[in-house]
Amino acid sequence: MNTDHQASIHNMNEDIIVIKNLNKWYGNFHVLRDINLTVKKGERIVICGPSGSGKSTTIRCINRLEEFQRGSLTVNGVEMIDDVKNIEAIRKEVGMVFQHFNLFPHLTILENLTLGPIWVQKKPKEEAKAIAMKYLERVKIPDQANKFPGQLSGGQQQRVAIARSLCMSPEIMLFDEPTSALDPEMIKEVLDVMVELADEGMTMLCVTHEMGFAKTVADRVIFMDGGEIVEQNTPDTFFDHPETDRLQLFLSQILQH
Amino acid sequence: MPIKEFKPLPAQPAPVSTTGPIAWLKNNLFSSPFNIVATLLILSGLFLILPGLIDWLFISANWTGTTQDACVDDGACWVFIRAWSQQIFYGSYPSGELWRVNLCLFLLAVVIYLSFILPINLRNKVAIPAFLALPFVCLLFLDGRYLGLEYVNTDYWGGFSLNILLAAASIIIAFPFGFLWALGRRSNLPFAQSVSVICIEFFRGTPVLALFFMGSVMLPLFFPEGVTVDKLLRVWIILILFMSAYMAEVFRSGFQAIPNGQYEAADSIGLGYWQKTFFIIFPQVIKVSMPNILATFIMVFKNTVFLLVIAVPEILQVILGALTNSKWLGGHATEGFLFVALVFWACCYSMSMLSTSIEKKLDTSHKH
């Protein structure tokens, strides 16, 4: 199994996420309109757009935090249908980092990290602890292992949240505005971890407005508005030669400062 | 130009006028003309009442003796309470077997204490099974038949120890029931949801007195001939169901206090429904519900005195019995009821203190 994993990392041509004609409604409100998106293994994608444009909703569909009503979504060859087994299989492959960290406040950092490996992957406690410490070292806070989330700064909490997802050895990482709730001085430490992760070949979908991150890390930048994908391109073309007036307007708004 | 070094200012003590006893008096008792008048009125009221009260309660009270004739002074006749103390606390439980009641109360205290001092990794594994086993261990000891002890019929159980043990045994069993009902109420499964809603609304919408009457008078009519269920057992079941309904509502509000992000994070690492419920949601629900759980317990604990209406010899029933005893017809109602009030107040107040300290203990300082 391990060799399979190694081989697949180098195979950049494999489609790991395929979304076709995805449509979603909240009641009568049409939030996602004909989303078509194919993500290759190892690809880094940044999604941006105004609030309410459906970018978070789109990535939340990928691990079924949101249901959709029409279209199809396949993750690593498993089709997302209304079946607990498929949902579980997909969630095993997909890690997610949230805007508000969503650490479990009643558990220590180490317990936050080992919960998944012990109870979902059924690993022995010692092994789970070793994995957790490995990832805590990677996000550079192994000394906080026995503290509670409330005792950590926002940036540290978000790094713990990233480590918690990595402990489940996911194929894909989803980031839902991971730096929007952070103080300016803490954004960098989180972005550094994300850049490192990208360098290692992780498949990543990031909803973010950190345009510097998009320029340096992304293979593709996607712009959404009104529940649809308006434009997608390589970062260079995306920022320097936007094709639509809507993206032009958006870029002029956010890059003015 | 060289860059200036930034030196933070040192912290200074707060001005004296905002701290200390004088400032406290000024801020809390004499802050406005209205407050000055109110303070003076209350002080003069206390001055009028307190001396007489203290005199009646303590100075002219009768403390020693064994019969009514010992009460010669004007004050309270505490001899009455003294003479009846065993009945008040243990009911008619045989004098030689009182250690069994004491043992049960002691076990209850030990289990509560254990859940405080155990390290966190042992707490759930030891304290929860100990709590759940406690009512049944107590039943075995109090009943005695199956342990080779003298059999004591439930008719002889009584007094304040019965109030305590019955309330504790009810809340312990009601805890899991209430949690399941609360889960059911939130469930997407129509069957689980409707059963939970019906149970909760029935037992919450019915006065506990009516439930007691139903249990003691009506329920036996439905039993097949020859089958009898002990009255105390019936009362226990009713208290459990009544309390479960209240606990379910307490837990429901607890569930609503858990941010959606917690569920989403648990989902995203792939935890199943029961894993999510027990590792992530349950501990946080307990924490936010703690004040309400204790409040519900205090309510049910006080409600156990209603059992007198179906002639269960709990503390108030014992007092009423003592007041009509031919040797004690001197009118000691004030002392009797005051004593019951005082005992309940002392218990409920210490439970409030306990609840505050539990809240502090559970607080891992992460309020958002």
Side-chain angles (χ1 to χ4, degrees), chain A residues 219-239:
Chain A
D219 295 313
R220 190 155 36 125
V221 187
I222 292 174
F223 174 65
M224 287 185 73
D225 188 27
E228 57 186 309
I229 294 181
V230 178
E231 208 173 321
Q232 47 179 314
N233 234 319
T234 57
D236 290 344
T237 325
F238 185 91
F239 290 108

Side-chain angles (χ1 to χ4, degrees), chain A residues 18-71:
Chain A
V18 181
I19 302 175
K20 279 186 190 151
N21 299 324
L22 185 90
N23 280 275
K24 178 178 170 60
W25 286 264
Y26 283 127
N28 278 324
F29 180 55
H30 198 173
V31 272
L32 294 182
R33 304 178 186 184
D34 273 331
I35 303 287
N36 282 291
L37 177 66
T38 305
V39 181
K40 295 203 182 306
K41 195 148 214 163
E43 207 177 0
R44 279 98 56 169
I45 292 181
V46 165
I47 305 175
C48 58
S51 61
S53 61
K55 45 196 195 311
S56 289
T57 314
T58 306
I59 69 163
R60 285 157 61 89
C61 281
I62 296 173
N63 67 348
R64 185 68 180 219
L65 291 185
E66 301 280 355
E67 291 177 29
F68 53 88
Q69 282 79 30
R70 199 192 294 158

Side-chain angles (χ1 to χ4, degrees), chain B residues 181-238:
Chain B
W181 285 1
L183 274 182
R185 192 162 195 163
R186 295 169 56 80
S187 165
N188 295 324
L189 310 170
F191 179 72
Q193 201 194 13
S194 44
V195 168
S196 307
V197 170
I198 290 170
C199 288
I200 294 172
E201 293 305 332
F202 177 76
F203 287 104
R204 220 168 52 107
T206 321
V208 68
L209 268 178
L211 287 174
F212 285 154
F213 273 123
M214 247 192 295
S216 70
V217 184
M218 247 174 70
L219 221 51
L221 298 179
F222 298 113
F223 291 139
E225 209 153 321
V227 175
T228 52
V229 176
D230 187 85
K231 181 159 80 177
L232 214 54
L233 182 65
R234 275 177 278 153
V235 162
W236 187 30
I237 293 170
I238 287 166

Side-chain angles (χ1 to χ4, degrees), chain A residues 37-217:
Chain A
L37 177 66
T38 305
V39 181
K40 295 203 182 306
K41 195 148 214 163
E43 207 177 0
R44 279 98 56 169
I45 292 181
V46 165
I47 305 175
C48 58
S51 61
S53 61
K55 45 196 195 311
S56 289
T57 314
T58 306
I59 69 163
R60 285 157 61 89
C61 281
I62 296 173
N63 67 348
R64 185 68 180 219
L65 291 185
E66 301 280 355
E67 291 177 29
F68 53 88
Q69 282 79 30
R70 199 192 294 158
S72 74
L73 192 160
T74 312
V75 180
N76 217 7
V78 182
E79 199 183 351
M80 176 69 81
I81 49 171
D82 202 0
D83 183 321
V84 181
K85 277 193 183 138
N86 283 30
I87 295 172
E88 275 179 7
I90 289 173
R91 281 180 179 162
K92 272 182 191 163
E93 305 294 333
V94 183
M96 187 162 200
V97 174
F98 300 87
Q99 181 178 2
H100 296 289
F101 332 132
N102 295 356
L103 295 178
F104 306 128
H106 59 295
L107 300 176
T108 64
I109 301 304
L110 195 63
E111 288 166 338
N112 263 279
L113 266 63
T114 54
L115 196 67
I118 291 175
W119 293 98
V120 180
Q121 298 177 334
K122 312 285 179 203
K123 286 187 173 150
K125 265 189 189 167
E126 289 310 311
E127 192 189 334
K129 264 188 194 170
I131 296 172
M133 288 314 293
K134 183 178 101 187
Y135 284 111
L136 276 184
E137 262 156 45
R138 246 181 78 176
V139 299
K140 300 179 188 70
I141 35 177
D143 46 326
Q144 314 280 2
N146 293 314
K147 288 194 182 165
F148 284 97
Q151 296 167 299
L152 268 56
S153 73
Q156 289 174 324
Q157 290 194 45
Q158 193 59 296
R159 284 186 282 156
V160 171
I162 295 174
R164 179 174 69 180
S165 294
L166 293 177
C167 280
M168 301 296 291
S169 41
E171 293 276 323
I172 303 157
M173 284 286 283
L174 308 174
F175 292 86
D176 190 0
E177 309 209 23
T179 55
S180 318
L182 295 175
D183 287 347
E185 284 184 320
M186 292 170 185
I187 290 177
K188 188 177 173 295
E189 60 187 58
V190 171
L191 288 180
D192 284 348
V193 171
M194 289 169 65
V195 170
E196 228 173 82
L197 205 56
D199 289 343
E200 287 162 21
M202 174 68 77
T203 312
M204 291 166 68
L205 276 88
C206 313
V207 172
T208 181
H209 293 128
E210 296 296 331
M211 289 306 148
F213 176 79
K215 277 179 193 164
T216 51
V217 173

Side-chain angles (χ1 to χ4, degrees), chain B residues 285-298:
Chain B
V285 166
I286 295 295
K287 200 182 100 178
V288 295
S289 312
M290 211 59 212
N292 290 337
I293 291 173
L294 264 294
T296 310
F297 179 67
I298 288 173

